[in-house]
Amino acid sequence: MKKIKEGKFVFTGELEPEKTTDLTELVESAKKLLGHCVACNVTDNPQSMAYMSSLVASHIVQRDSGMECVYQLRCSDRNSIALTSDLLGAGALGIRNVLALTGDHTSLGDYPGSMPVFDLDSGQLVYLIRRMVDEGVDLNGKPIEHPPRFHVGVAGNPNADPLDSEILKLKRKVEAGAEFVQTQVIFDIEIAKTFLKEMEKYKVPVLIGIFPLKNYGTADYFDKYIPGVHVPKDLLAKMKEASEIGDKKKKMERYDEINLDYYGDFVHEIAHNTSAAGIHVMAVAYERITPPLIECAKI
Amino acid sequence: MITGERKDLEELMEIVKTYNSLAVVGCDGCVGIYQIGGFKEAESLASLLKMGDKIKNGVVQDAEAFTVIRQCDKELIEKELGGKLDKFEAIVSTACGVGVQTMAAVFEDKVVYPALNTLFMGAQDREGAELYELCKGCGDCVLHLTGGICPMTRCAKGLLNGPCGGAVDGKCEVGDYTNDCAWVLIYEKLKSMDRLDLYTTFRLPRDRRPSMSPRKLAGGAKY
Ligand code: SF4
Ligand code: SF4
């Protein structure tokens, strides 16, 4: 956040703790991104899958890798008491950044019958965090002995239709005190540009979310099952072609080449010709692509 | 109105299998109007229970259908059914959960079983004859702020500051993108009313106490 405030164009990464108690791999991934990304998001039960706590994972990753974490926190699974309590815990563990998310509906995950909470929404979670940080009080104004210090960000959806409803909604989140906006995955640079233009009036740093495709399976899954976003057809076709290469090493090299080919110009353009504050690279378990991708931005 | 769905016959047969005689009581209120649990449905359930039980060599000999104008009204129940159910061992009610419990309060010495799974408060659309949930009775109505579209009920997450990022082409992430996103509807409606100021106003966290169960209301409406 400090770097963003200094006006530096930044890159952030993404780490996904899964159904495990072992974070060795995640810590390794974080180490590989050190020096390339200024921080990494640690996802909170993405798609409502019951995974390891993002708070615990954020702490362990920060402690064992030195990577600064953006602790993702969803409203789907916690009421305002639990959110307050986790935020106090995060403060104690030295977490500095929180991404306030409404979260996917619980019925979408692997506990589809569990209770959807949504006591607060993401905007109200920002409000809670602001009260804790700025005023040193909880939701109802009760003083906190040692208030936490967080930067708080929110998600934005440039693929929304109508876009206007999304932009106006983000106005609320910014007014509630969001300090940065991180977008959902974008493949089309024009969509990114339109969104950034619309957001300029709020004067809040925007990080553009991209999703490098690790292999054809990921690309195909993403295209079919992540609603509202489609992998461009020619990119998907290239990935499919690459998947037929027999030699494993060559195949991986070809995947990397396709990604750098596709995203190289994209990141360069975003870095040099838009108002974006940075790029959020959601290369989960594919961190080898991030450094060369950052190279392409030539900053 | 209150809606519901009849339980599976198998489940109902299991529930009543130890009784020789049953009174199956319909309600002409909400569930009667929607043909879910009125007199006709009570009649057909009575014969189904008798038949089904016979096939399984069960004990249900007699099942007779009755109805009440509104099963949520003690006085109406007493007036219409008083004395008529004495000879039955158990009662099956095809009313909503309110009706079942009100029946049980009137017929204290009998067991009253639910034949429906009570679902929600809603209304029928004209075209598809489908029933839609429209109000949760949250106890703190915001319809005046949302263009008359309830975000507590029609938004799957009950958001006050929607939409979430889950809508695609105006459809909600819950229900396989077949339901309209309530917040897109609210946006369109407020826009057409030239009231986007309501849309951009940030809403503070809700006090949930007005929606906490069990709730009660002093007798008589407050006017
Ligand atoms: S806001 Fe509350 S009272 Fe009003 S329609 Fe919705 S659920 Fe019912
Ligand atoms: S898509 Fe719309 S209706 Fe569905 S949960 Fe999100 S805001 Fe609510």
Side-chain angles (χ1 to χ4, degrees):
Chain A
M1 196 63 214
K2 200 168 140 243
K3 294 235 168 71
I4 294 181
K5 283 202 169 137
E6 286 166 1
K8 292 217 172 80
F9 191 84
V10 300
F11 286 86
T12 53
E14 183 144 306
L15 301 168
E16 188 173 303
E18 294 190 352
K19 224 182 270 293
T20 174
T21 55
D22 179 16
L23 289 177
T24 319
E25 262 179 53
L26 218 64
V27 169
E28 283 314 307
S29 296
K31 282 183 182 163
K32 284 183 200 148
L33 294 173
L34 273 177
H36 303 287
C37 292
V38 294
C40 274
N41 275 224
V42 177
T43 56
D44 178 16
N45 301 334
Q47 278 112 47
S48 291
M49 306 295 270
Y51 289 160
M52 186 207 280
S53 147
S54 59
L55 174 54
V56 172
S58 295
H59 167 62
I60 294 179
V61 168
Q62 280 200 170
R63 187 194 64 192
D64 295 354
S65 76
M67 172 64 80
E68 182 169 328
C69 288
V70 180
Y71 161 44
Q72 292 196 359
L73 183 58
R74 315 189 322 151
C75 298
S76 330
D77 321 313
R78 301 166 184 88
N79 68 7
S80 47
I81 300 175
L83 289 168
T84 305
S85 148
D86 282 359
L87 285 163
L88 290 172
L93 291 172
I95 305 290
R96 298 298 313 275
N97 315 287
V98 184
L99 191 76
L101 300 171
T102 297
D104 293 318
H105 195 269
T106 46
S107 62
L108 271 53
D110 59 355
Y111 282 21
S114 72
M115 171 80 88
V117 181
F118 303 107
D119 190 11
L120 305 186
D121 55 44
S122 55
Q124 294 165 338
L125 178 55
V126 171
Y127 170 81
L128 165 64
I129 295 171
R130 284 263 73 96
R131 291 211 80 177
M132 294 175 85
V133 174
D134 301 341
E135 299 169 52
V137 298
D138 71 4
L139 200 56
N140 293 327
K142 257 204 189 151
I144 298 168
E145 224 168 277
H146 292 278
R149 286 168 49 206
F150 299 124
H151 293 296
V152 56
V154 293
N157 180 13
N159 306 302
D161 181 24
L163 183 61
D164 221 31
S165 69
E166 177 72 13
I167 300 291
L168 289 175
K169 175 193 81 177
L170 284 164
K171 178 174 190 281
R172 278 187 238 131
K173 291 199 199 182
V174 172
E175 280 171 5
E179 290 165 275
F180 65 95
V181 174
Q182 186 176 297
T183 77
Q184 289 183 356
V185 174
I186 306 178
F187 281 102
D188 182 342
I189 186 121
E190 291 312 318
I191 289 184
K193 284 184 169 173
T194 311
F195 183 76
L196 286 162
K197 258 239 118 35
E198 291 285 338
M199 289 299 291
E200 270 170 25
K201 52 183 175 276
Y202 302 147
K203 303 203 170 15
V204 62
V206 177
L207 299 169
I208 294 294
I210 63 168
F211 189 85
L213 302 162
K214 188 183 176 189
N215 51 40
Y216 175 64
T218 311
D220 190 48
Y221 179 88
F222 199 91
D223 190 55
K224 285 202 181 102
Y225 300 108
I226 305 294
V229 202
H230 290 290
V231 179
K233 284 208 167 56
D234 49 338
L235 180 58
L236 202 61
K238 277 187 195 160
M239 293 295 289
K240 186 164 191 311
E241 222 171 86
S243 72
E244 280 146 20
I245 298 173
D247 184 77
K248 208 177 157 207
K249 187 155 168 273
K250 283 207 180 108
K251 180 158 50 183
M252 275 165 67
E253 279 169 8
R254 179 68 190 131
Y255 280 143
D256 291 0
E257 204 175 273
I258 295 170
N259 275 292
L260 292 175
D261 196 35
Y262 187 82
Y263 284 116
D265 294 343
F266 188 108
V267 296
H268 187 272
E269 181 71 7
I270 295 284
H272 295 278
N273 294 322
T274 70
S275 57
I279 291 185
H280 176 56
V281 190
M282 290 176 243
V284 172
Y286 186 30
E287 50 296 326
R288 71 167 187 273
I289 198 69
T290 307
L293 200 63
I294 294 174
E295 284 284 304
C296 296
K298 296 198 172 55
I299 38 166
Chain B
M1 274 189 262
I2 295 171
T3 67
E5 223 171 21
R6 206 200 68 205
K7 283 180 178 291
D8 277 344
L9 196 57
E10 287 283 324
E11 185 185 352
L12 284 171
M13 278 165 41
E14 187 59 31
I15 292 173
V16 301
K17 70 177 182 198
T18 54
Y19 299 102
N20 278 305
S21 61
L22 298 168
V24 182
V25 185
C27 173
D28 298 338
C30 308
V31 294
I33 293 164
Y34 285 144
Q35 298 169 353
I36 302 162
F39 182 57
K40 268 205 188 128
E41 290 74 45
E43 264 186 325
S44 77
L45 180 60
S47 51
L48 282 171
L49 286 174
K50 252 192 303 193
M51 253 168 21
D53 206 65
K54 202 170 277 168
I55 294 165
K56 293 197 157 188
N57 297 321
V59 297
V60 180
Q61 301 292 326
D62 187 20
E64 199 178 320
F66 299 85
T67 194
V68 186
I69 297 177
R70 283 192 303 274
Q71 259 189 54
C72 51
D73 187 321
K74 268 186 172 178
E75 278 176 27
L76 283 174
I77 297 173
E78 272 156 7
K79 203 172 110 200
E80 292 176 35
L81 295 181
K84 288 190 193 160
L85 307 189
D86 293 349
K87 63 171 183 163
F88 298 97
E89 284 179 10
I91 299 169
V92 174
S93 161
T94 66
C96 70
V98 179
V100 177
Q101 293 178 68
T102 313
M103 284 284 288
V106 174
F107 298 98
E108 274 180 308
D109 54 342
K110 290 208 192 309
V111 225
V112 185
Y113 291 111
L116 298 191
N117 292 319
T118 304
L119 289 170
F120 53 80
M121 287 193 275
Q124 208 159 22
D125 68 346
R126 303 244 168 245
E127 309 95 54
E130 271 181 302
L131 291 161
Y132 288 96
E133 184 173 17
L134 294 175
C135 170
K136 270 203 163 82
C138 74
D140 186 8
C141 196
V142 295
L143 286 175
H144 56 298
L145 305 173
T146 56
I149 296 156
C150 174
M152 309 317 297
T153 313
R154 296 170 71 180
C155 163
K157 299 177 187 171
L159 306 179
L160 266 189
N161 294 293
C164 72
V168 177
D169 297 331
K171 300 291 177 188
C172 175
E173 69 179 33
V174 179
D176 259 340
Y177 302 94
T178 54
N179 301 326
D180 290 329
C181 165
W183 272 100
V184 171
L185 294 180
I186 291 169
Y187 167 77
E188 302 287 2
K189 182 72 187 180
L190 290 174
K191 193 173 160 194
S192 76
M193 291 162 72
D194 206 13
R195 288 304 312 269
L196 281 179
D197 58 305
L198 289 173
Y199 183 82
T200 47
T201 307
F202 174 65
R203 310 279 168 209
L204 288 171
R206 292 208 112 188
D207 182 341
R208 306 280 173 181
R209 282 173 292 186
S211 66
M212 289 177 191
S213 297
R215 294 178 279 184
K216 61 181 177 191
L217 204 58
K222 186 162 74 181
Y223 272 110

